[in-house]
Amino acid sequence: MANSEEFNPLLEKQQQSKPEVNNTDEKKSNSAKSIDEEPVKKSPPIGWTADGLPLSHGSVVGEPMVGRTHWDSSLCACLGRNDEFCSSDLEVCLLGSVAPCVLYGSNAERLGAAPGTFANHCLPYTGLYLIGNSFFGSNLLAPWFSYATRTAIRRRFNLEGSCEAFTRSCGCCGSFIEDEVQREHCEAACDFATHVFCHACALCQEGREVRRRLPHPGFNAQPIMVMIPPGEQTMGRRMA
């Protein structure tokens, strides 16, 4: 029996297959260890682009987001600054005091740069302005319509909002804000509060900002060359 076991070919195949099973077990254990050892990639925190879209902190993955900039002038600087835009700042202050509907339509026109933007914003604002002053004695309805333009300006130029300014100065708003989404909701609420309680000053600040950053859409129009065909030429016969 001993000789038959030594020369049995089945036993030799079984002995050769055992190391292969062990090798497969080792490969599985090594692959499991490599999966466990791989670091878990954390998704980058959500940020807001200038257009208000929730993207990563850079336009390209891994690129750091540019820090937010300050407004060109403060909320209460109604007369603006003594620079090349001084006359424009005085015009903005006059329109914000006398005709806020015109100033709001002009701000939206520069921001939108599309045909009909001025009328589409100025006329609804005028209606809400007249209804508010007729029934409530003050301009209470128009800020509900106009505060979205302030949010659009802040997002487009990546400007610092009121909530972030308070957090930077005194740290009063940073305790309950966990991510960028909640921060953006807080900033939108601050934009609405600014238009409700300081409506004229908010319109003037937005007007000074867009006039320094965006040209009027009419200035971007390119000249059109008109080709005038020459007049008909008649050939006279020479008199003999």
Side-chain angles (χ1 to χ4, degrees):
M1 294 295 291
N3 293 330
S4 63
E5 291 179 357
E6 291 177 359
F7 297 99
N8 192 350
L10 296 176
L11 293 175
E12 293 178 359
K13 292 181 179 179
Q14 290 177 359
Q15 290 176 358
Q16 291 177 359
S17 62
K18 286 181 180 179
E20 295 179 357
V21 175
N22 294 331
N23 291 332
T24 55
D25 294 338
E26 290 178 358
K27 290 180 181 179
K28 289 181 180 179
S29 61
N30 292 331
S31 61
K33 289 180 181 179
S34 62
I35 292 173
D36 295 337
E37 291 176 357
E38 288 182 357
V40 179
K41 296 181 180 180
K42 297 181 180 180
S43 59
I46 296 175
W48 292 87
T49 62
D51 297 331
L53 300 176
L55 297 174
S56 59
H57 278 270
S59 58
V60 181
V61 176
E63 182 179 325
M65 190 178 77
V66 181
R68 291 183 177 88
T69 58
H70 299 283
W71 290 78
D72 187 78
S73 58
S74 63
L75 184 64
C76 298
C78 296
L79 297 178
R81 297 186 306 177
N82 188 14
D83 55 5
E84 64 272 15
F85 292 93
C86 179
S87 60
S88 177
D89 294 342
L90 295 177
E91 177 188 359
V92 167
C93 181
L94 181 63
L95 289 176
S97 303
V98 179
C101 56
V102 178
L103 179 58
Y104 173 70
S106 176
N107 296 342
E109 184 181 23
R110 287 177 181 263
L111 189 64
T117 306
F118 178 82
N120 293 336
H121 288 77
C122 181
L123 295 179
Y125 183 96
T126 304
L128 294 174
Y129 179 84
L130 295 176
I131 293 173
N133 283 291
S134 300
F135 290 94
F136 303 103
S138 61
N139 188 15
L140 295 178
L141 299 180
W144 293 75
F145 176 72
S146 62
Y147 85 95
T149 304
R150 185 177 185 85
T151 303
I153 294 173
R154 178 176 52 78
R155 288 177 175 177
R156 179 167 181 176
F157 303 118
N158 198 22
L159 299 175
E160 185 181 43
S162 302
C163 182
E164 189 173 359
F166 289 151
T167 303
R168 179 174 51 82
S169 59
C170 59
C172 59
C173 299
S175 59
F176 60 90
I177 296 177
E178 298 179 356
D179 53 11
E180 290 293 333
V181 178
Q182 291 185 1
R183 182 182 297 277
E184 181 59 28
H185 291 330
C186 180
E187 296 291 0
C190 290
D191 294 339
F192 173 73
T194 303
H195 265 255
V196 170
F197 297 105
C198 304
H199 183 62
C201 295
L203 288 179
C204 292
Q205 185 187 26
E206 296 160 14
R208 293 190 299 269
E209 194 71 29
V210 296
R211 277 163 174 75
R212 280 171 167 81
R213 293 180 179 270
L214 298 173
H216 194 274
F219 296 157
N220 295 331
Q222 298 180 355
I224 301 174
M225 298 182 63
V226 180
M227 301 297 293
I228 301 175
E232 295 182 359
Q233 297 180 359
T234 58
M235 297 179 64
R237 296 180 179 179
R238 292 181 179 180
M239 299 297 293

